[in-house]
Amino acid sequence: MTTRWPWISMLISLVATLSPLGRDIVVSAFLAGEALSRNIWAPIALTIFAVMTAAILLEWLVRTYIINRRARGVAS
């Protein structure tokens, strides 16, 4: 692991968002013609986005910790 870039979480988030189910959720939450559909799906979609963002942040923090730990070397 040579980079701090959280590419695994970002790739999973991208695939989940671009899948047919993910696109359907986004359309239902933000682009639907009916207010009822938007009101039901918007909080669900925002929660999913928050979880994906937290996973990306967690992966970045873990990668940063591992890189810093390896840079210090073995303490005797």
Side-chain angles (χ1 to χ4, degrees), residues 2-68:
T2 60
T3 180
R4 291 183 179 139
W5 191 253
W7 64 271
I8 296 171
S9 298
M10 292 181 82
L11 183 65
I12 292 171
S13 298
L14 182 68
V15 168
T17 303
L18 295 178
S19 71
L21 179 62
R23 288 188 350 215
D24 190 37
I25 290 173
V26 170
V27 168
S28 296
F30 304 112
L31 304 173
E34 296 181 12
L36 178 63
S37 178
R38 287 192 311 266
N39 289 338
I40 291 171
W41 282 104
I44 296 169
L46 292 175
T47 302
I48 293 169
F49 293 152
V51 169
M52 289 190 301
T53 303
I56 291 170
L57 179 64
L58 181 65
E59 182 182 355
W60 179 76
L61 289 172
V62 167
R63 285 178 176 265
T64 302
Y65 175 74
I66 290 172
I67 288 173
N68 288 340

